[in-house]
Amino acid sequence: MNPAGRAVAVDFVEDEFEEIGYPETLPTYSPHMDESAAARRRLGKGRPDGAEEKVWFDDEDDFKAPSVRTFSGGRPAQLALPPPTTLREFLSQNMPSIPPLVYTLLACYTRFHRIGLSPTVVWDEAHFGKFASHYLKREFYFDVHPPLGKMLVGLAGLLSGYNGGFDFKSGVDYPPEVPYVAMRVMLATFGVGMVPLGWFTAIELGMTQWAAHLVALMVLFDVGWLCISRFILLDSMLLFFTFLAVFCLSKFHNQQAHPFDFDWWAWLAMTGISIGLVTSVKMVGLFVTALVGFYTLEDLWNKFGDLRLSTKEQAKHWGARILCLIILPILVFMATFKIHFMILNHSGPGDAQMSSLFQANLHGNDFHNNPLEIAIGSKVTIKNMAFGGGLLHSHVQTYPTGSNQQQVTCYHYKDENNEFWFWPAWDQKDTVWDPKYGSHDPSDEELRFLKHHDVVRLVHVPTTRNIHSHPIPAPITKANWEVSAYGNATIGDVQDNWVVEVLGDVVRGDVNRYLDPKSSTVDSRARIHALTTRLRFRHQVLGCYLSAGRTSLPQWGFKQIEVTCAKEEEGSKPAEGSIWNVESHWNTRLPPAARSLSRSPFITDFIHLNIAMMTSNNALIPDPDKEDLLASKPWEWPFLSVGLRMCGWGDQQIKYYLMGNPIIWWGGSISLIVATFVALGLVVRRQRYGGGKGARKPAPNSLNGDSGKNGAALVARPGDGLTQREWAQFWHVTKIAGGGWVLHYLPFLIMGRVTYIHHYLPTLYFAVLMFAHLLDYFVFQVPSTPSANPHTVPTSGVSLSDINSIPKMIRTFRALPRMTRIKLYVFSLTTSAIVGTFWWFRAVAWGMEGPVRNTWGLAWRENWNIYH
Amino acid sequence: MASTGKLRQRVPVSARPNFEYDRIQEEEHTDDVFQNPNKRHPIEKILETDNASVVVVAVLTALAFALRFYKINHPDQVVFDEVHFGKFASYYILGEYYFDVHPPFAKLLFGLAGWFSGFDGHFQFENIGDSYTQNHVPYVGMRALPAILGSLTVPVVYAIMKQSGYSTVIAAFSAAIILFDNAHIAQSRLILLDATLIFFMSLTIYAYVRFQKLRYREFTTEWFSWLFATGFFMACTWGSKVNGVLTVATIGVAVLIDLWGILDYKRSPSMDYFWKHFAARAIGLIVIPFTIYLSFFWVHFALLPTSGTGDSFMSPAFQETLAGNEMLLSAQEIRYYDTVTMRHKDSKVYLHSHVERYPLKYDDGRISSQGQQVTGYAHADENNNWQIIPTKALPETGRGRIVRHNDMIQLLHVNTNTVLLTHDVASPLMPTNQEFTTWPRDDTSRFNETLFQLSLIDAHDGEAWKSKSGYFRLVHGQTRVSMWTHSKQLPEWAFRQQEINGNKNPSEKTATWFVEDIIADETGQDPKERTGHQPPKVPKKMNFFRKFGELQLLMLQHNAGLTASHPYASGPLNWPFLIAGISFWTENDPQKQIYLIGNLVGWWTCVVALSIYVGILGADLLSRRRNSNPIPAPVRNRLWNSAGFFFVVWAVHYAPFFLMNRQLFIHHYLASHLASALIAGAVLQFILSETINHPISVEAPTIRRHKRQYADIGLKGPIIFVLFSIAMFSMFVFLAPLTYGTPGLTGDQVNSKRLLSSWTLHFAAKKTAEVVQ
């Protein structure tokens, strides 16, 4: 063993590194600079503006993780340009701003063109328009999506002068007072924003200008993205913020060489904010959050292995990530809910989703007219106090399993099936409610207030059945007993009896302390109050507690929440799901009690609403009994096997068909497959041959030691043909595009809920990036060596005068290096295919007028139900 | 040592001779450990001798046999899934074709065991609790097979650990976790597949470890022998139960990691060398196992030549290969104007109609057409007869009169002279489906609504419609609904017969029907005469590979279809912690029961060991990232490579269950539990000592000799082992009444055995409920 062996590893000799001198002459901007020669081969060998910071290329990557100080892909550092002195210089310096500007203008055209053509409520405008109305009327509503997107829709309505009076029935014509065109235009602006973001993201990812053009063109000309952006929907915002998050992430990545600079902080914070925004529009935003998360984990893992970083620096890196990528997005997310609650301060259709205390504080809520203290004979609704809990409910439908008796569920909307009477237990025959009298008028009886340990029956008002439990396993949660509604006013048994247990009061604390077991009268302070007293109902016979979990019943139970009688270990803490409070309370013999209740804290409402959203999202599972024509399966998306009719298909209607530009979708999906093989091939080659072009230097003979016969082979070890920088560039983009695609696609395969083709639209972005990236890797990044043609015109010297006549143009073209010509071929072919198919399919997004059979040749695949 | 390949490491050893670099790494720290063999504890010295090892393994094996054969004749009743697997054994003896989701190897062994012990196959294992003794079934012989395999698993576990370089005590420790485990014992004392699965799975691991140890002697006879042995045992595992495919995946993962290392330039300077390795593994681990797997099926088909319960699962072509199959005997081409009876494939009801009409108004307020009822009826009846009426011109005689695929037909109900019709009226039970009724034949006003397209399943154009074998869907010409039925009964007004309705999906899988019989031809003659007398039909031949492919596909489909909820099914997350078991069998009178539950001490030890293992690996990764190497290299390599392999075994046998939607049971964890026992041994070794037996691979003459060291666990090891075994044994004895199903327990005893509140034991005494008033 060579004793010096260990020392060699750190013995870097200065002159192993190429010194990059400060450029002698500063070039003015030339568009060719961004091309292969510049982007691929020349840059990345050092920081032109800082001499002390060197990039270390690591030869020994078999034993070491790649050094973090190497460039890891992304956009190469740009030289600062001198101030322009002539107009020509100014123009040439500002050339890079021209393409995104042109694309943005084109995007305005495609997005806004004939946007008001269909004067009817198209597709999900029915939902999101309605939510906007709720914001404008400030009525509390409930929906599974977070509020930001819908608030922006509401804002668009507000800005365009909509008064919130329209109820957005699907397919109905807009009345004249609804400024739907203005609203659509405002939301389509997000769709316009996608295009420049696509361009700049490509640039930041270190792609060549060719590839950036392709990305921008694909974003501009995909009919799916176009179509979805033109209506009052959340998708344009979701897409915009997703694009923004990817853009910010790539921007941040390019600041990695200068940690803790202002730009570094700014883009890190922007990344955090944008993932907060995208998640506040739809929960799908969590996928792009996961992408950022994985990127950050890898980044921190690399930093963790960088022994040159001090502990303090490490901690700063971690702290910055936690602050900007965890705390900041959560704050953004919570802020949207705070605003949501602030705007929606009137009672509305979503009340019942929230806790009773929250509802009591909404304007227009009638709880304050209710009597305060609950008595036997009161008619009430009973609310589960767990986060996301609903109202105790029963309906005439019966369980298909177990006892086959009437269902008892938890329901999140107000209706009269939620109403129950507190009646005395069956064995309390001393009261007038003895069933044999058949009369339940309590007016001639002394008022008896409910208290701790009273035994009552809960009688369902519309069906007069008693809430009942018995030792039959519950339909879903088999470990608990089933709760059903059974009997009527005269039929019943002791299994209908429930013991009321008071746990305390939200306002008054432990009220049971006023109970005197010796005294027969009830201290008025121990009475049960509507809204605030926390109750439990213990089954007198079985000893289990009336509980609601978060499990939804199947279709036969209308996806309502399962109610069971939960067995409880002695002495354990009361389960959240078994605690209830009285919500509405009617009793003609008691006076209404005006009272003002303190607000429930924001954080409680926030958690409550989120859990409610989650629960109803989970209930959105496909119904096997019902065939949903609109729904599609995730594996039908990448190759565009299906489309979606967004509205009625009558001859007189304006028809929109949600599909994609086939070239873009198919190309993206194919490139993902190709990329898998390319990546695999690169990894295998690296494993076989080690990394870096010519990276392995001949080992000195003295070190070859006793493994002499293999030493010779070692020296000749071939590299994998990629420089460190090219390798890093390839992987950076592949990880962002491929990882983003996988993270946006796989969850749909796993989750059980109904899926539609528009769920693929954010995913598509990553396929598009991969498409451009692969073309970039295989074609556009390949250096153009000057052709052997004797008539060579220097490429950099191509000027307007060379192409001002067609023969001259042809001559100039033929004189271009071969690779440049191939690039031009590939680029023009791809571009024309994209633009051509867009033009072919433009009507599906711009609206098809008249009978659909008049437009010919749209059904490229059998399953596209455009015609039949 | 089972080196599963090199892990990318961050040790700065740049200018070393790189050849054999991974071997050198193993040596890196050997200088640090100076060991004097004379200082070893005498007991340990004795234990590490070969003779001691033989004694230990003999004792373990004897104990294993004792524990698994103890009262193996109890209960003398059919227990749990013996219902299935016992039945399958009897089918092998009788030669009747059956269908099951699992591959046949383990069931073939049971058939063999039954045949060997004199079982004649007459007993059908119909219900849990059926008596064996009354029916004279030699069940002990059949149960002995899994018991033997289950007992032999214990020495195999010992051998795996020993071969992987762990001390005798450590190997015995791992073996004891299996030896005293109530779940393994309960599972291997009954006619169930798992004992076979686990036994061959452990043998696969053992063979692969032996194969890896020979890696410096590549391409020798020994090396090939162990490679092929791995493949052989792997095929046996896979052939025993569907889950065995996870063992195949485990070896696949290990081989990929291994090949990945070989791919490195430093290991194989020429690509030929790599391809040689690749080819050897492809033959040993793909070609050979697959051939063996196929041969199981070949034997399976060869042993089951006659028709049996599995017929109806298979395609008509397959069924015609089985002797005595109805389809083979009476499949006949159907001609127009034949009178036939038709049955639904899944529920076996006849298409039926009778003069009674649908009530005008149903209970839920919907209105019917009040047409004649069309129902599904389970019994043979005149009213099941339908005549096939053509809608096209027919030739006078000849084959032109045969009904063919895609023909448009009318069905005439013979007794009422009405034709079948469906229309856009909701069916009695399902508002989404169309009502089926009939219409007088003479009234042509609704002719178009009486036309049905005959769509044969998997048929080519112009294929003739045959009785028995011609599965078909009847698709309504106008509304494109398919005639369908489901198990719901109509109310009393239709005599509780099954509802027939039109399913909106024209290609609905469950809307499949077949013609049961041709009652009469056009002239009222028995049609059997019309093709003249035929010799008795011989079973047709079918290519083995087509048979295999069909069966394999069906197995997959049915396995995925096992989604019905089961009271003892449990989620994968519960398994390692023993949250819930399975009630196999109960007997009321003496309050006996068999409850499948593991040994709490053993299982929780395994869980703790797994978490320690993951913790060590995580800590090692983090510290190496910071360039400090707290663990000596040989120990570290043992942890990563040997225990790492066990961890892969554990993870691959466990993680996929999280993605499965089918019903899952705790016995699906047994394979992973075995792997976790191996990990527990490795972790114990790591905790006890900073040293390891090294090297353990078979050295080749061309390789530089390694510095030797040995695991020095002193007296701590034996003491811990003895204490642990006592704890294991006590817990085992405590739970034994649930494992062996004897003796009976009083309610309070049951309560005391219920160590976790989630165990659902029978006969528990009621806790006296306190009444609060």
Side-chain angles (χ1 to χ4, degrees), chain A residues 63 65 304 314 687-688, chain B residues 9-10 260 263 265 268 626:
Chain A
F63 297 107
F304 186 71
Q314 295 271 8
Q687 170 69 11
R688 172 104 190 110
Chain B
Q9 289 152 358
R10 243 187 120 257
W260 186 248
L263 183 65
Y265 202 82
S268 59
R626 297 300 296 171

Side-chain angles (χ1 to χ4, degrees), chain A residues 586-605:
Chain A
W586 299 271
N587 195 331
T588 46
R589 301 173 67 197
L590 290 168
R595 57 172 174 161
S596 66
L597 287 165
S598 59
R599 282 197 159 276
S600 48
F602 163 70
I603 196 80
T604 317
D605 296 341

Side-chain angles (χ1 to χ4, degrees), chain A residues 76 136 155 169 196 240 250 276 348 373 387 404 428 449 503 505 580 595 624 641 661 714 717-718 781 793 801 825 846:
Chain A
L136 295 173
L155 183 68
K169 283 246 171 61
F240 176 80
S250 5
E373 294 162 339
F387 285 123
N404 294 98
Q428 293 174 352
F449 287 104
L503 287 179
D505 192 286
W580 307 79
R595 57 172 174 161
S641 310
N661 184 327
L714 249 189
R717 183 174 179 141
Q781 279 190 350
V793 181
S801 61
Y825 287 135
W846 282 351

Side-chain angles (χ1 to χ4, degrees), chain A residues 662-699:
Chain A
I663 300 295
I664 297 174
W665 287 52
W666 296 341
S669 304
I670 291 169
S671 64
L672 282 161
I673 297 167
V674 174
T676 313
F677 286 106
V678 173
L680 203 67
L682 282 177
V683 173
V684 169
R685 280 180 68 146
R686 180 150 281 219
Q687 170 69 11
R688 172 104 190 110
Y689 299 121
K693 191 185 205 173
R696 191 155 300 281
K697 295 194 170 56

Side-chain angles (χ1 to χ4, degrees), chain A residues 382 391-399 405-411 413 415-420 458-468 483-486 553 558 560-561 563:
Chain A
I382 300 169
L391 292 160
L392 190 67
H393 180 96
S394 182
H395 41 228
V396 290
Q397 282 78 8
T398 55
Y399 286 114
Q405 291 170 4
Q406 181 170 312
Q407 295 172 16
V408 173
T409 65
C410 237
Y411 188 49
Y413 296 92
D415 96 22
E416 62 174 30
N417 273 326
N418 301 336
E419 290 166 10
F420 293 88
L458 288 165
V459 181
H460 187 230
V461 175
T463 61
T464 71
R465 295 194 190 279
N466 308 298
I467 300 294
H468 179 94
V483 173
S484 65
Y486 168 70
L553 293 171
F558 312 99
Q560 294 172 10
I561 306 290
V563 169

Side-chain angles (χ1 to χ4, degrees), chain A residues 1-2 4-10 60-66 68 301-311 314 428 453-455 478 499 538 540-541 569-570 625 627 680 683-690 696 703-707 709-710 713-714 716-718 750, chain B residues 6 8-21 24-25 27-28 31 259-272 274 430 432-433 504-505 565-567 618 621-629 659 702 704 754 757 767-773:
Chain A
M1 209 153 111
N2 170 28
R6 192 164 298 211
V8 175
V10 288
E60 305 297 343
D61 54 311
D62 276 322
F63 297 107
K64 275 186 169 180
V68 289
W301 179 247
N302 284 336
K303 296 218 167 21
F304 186 71
D306 185 353
L307 300 177
R308 282 163 290 186
L309 288 178
S310 68
T311 317
Q314 295 271 8
Q428 293 174 352
H453 278 164
D454 272 355
V455 184
K478 303 256 189 227
V499 181
R538 181 162 53 82
Q540 197 180 21
V541 179
E569 290 285 306
E570 263 172 73
D625 306 335
E627 202 184 350
L680 203 67
V683 173
V684 169
R685 280 180 68 146
R686 180 150 281 219
Q687 170 69 11
R688 172 104 190 110
Y689 299 121
R696 191 155 300 281
L703 290 178
N704 270 353
D706 49 359
S707 61
K709 69 175 179 185
N710 294 293
L714 249 189
R717 183 174 179 141
I750 296 165
Chain B
K6 156 195 94 95
R8 187 164 279 257
Q9 289 152 358
R10 243 187 120 257
V11 189
V13 276
S14 68
R16 291 261 180 76
N18 287 303
F19 176 58
E20 296 176 4
Y21 72 106
I24 290 159
Q25 278 173 32
E27 278 193 321
E28 210 170 65
D31 299 337
L259 281 177
W260 186 248
I262 295 175
L263 183 65
D264 193 300
Y265 202 82
K266 289 165 266 175
R267 291 272 295 274
S268 59
S270 87
M271 220 35 200
D272 291 347
F274 173 78
M430 297 179 71
T432 49
N433 290 18
K504 291 270 166 62
N505 181 2
S565 73
H566 188 283
L621 269 181
L622 288 176
S623 58
R624 289 181 74 83
R625 194 76 189 151
R626 297 300 296 171
N627 217 8
S628 75
N629 302 315
L659 300 176
T702 50
R704 215 156 24 119
R754 197 163 151 258
S757 59
K767 278 186 188 165
T768 40
E770 148 226 31
V771 180
V772 186
Q773 189 61 39

Side-chain angles (χ1 to χ4, degrees), chain B residues 114-131:
Chain B
W115 174 77
F116 195 71
S117 48
F119 178 41
D120 58 3
H122 68 277
F123 182 63
Q124 286 297 305
F125 299 82
E126 288 299 342
N127 295 304
I128 296 180
D130 287 357
S131 170

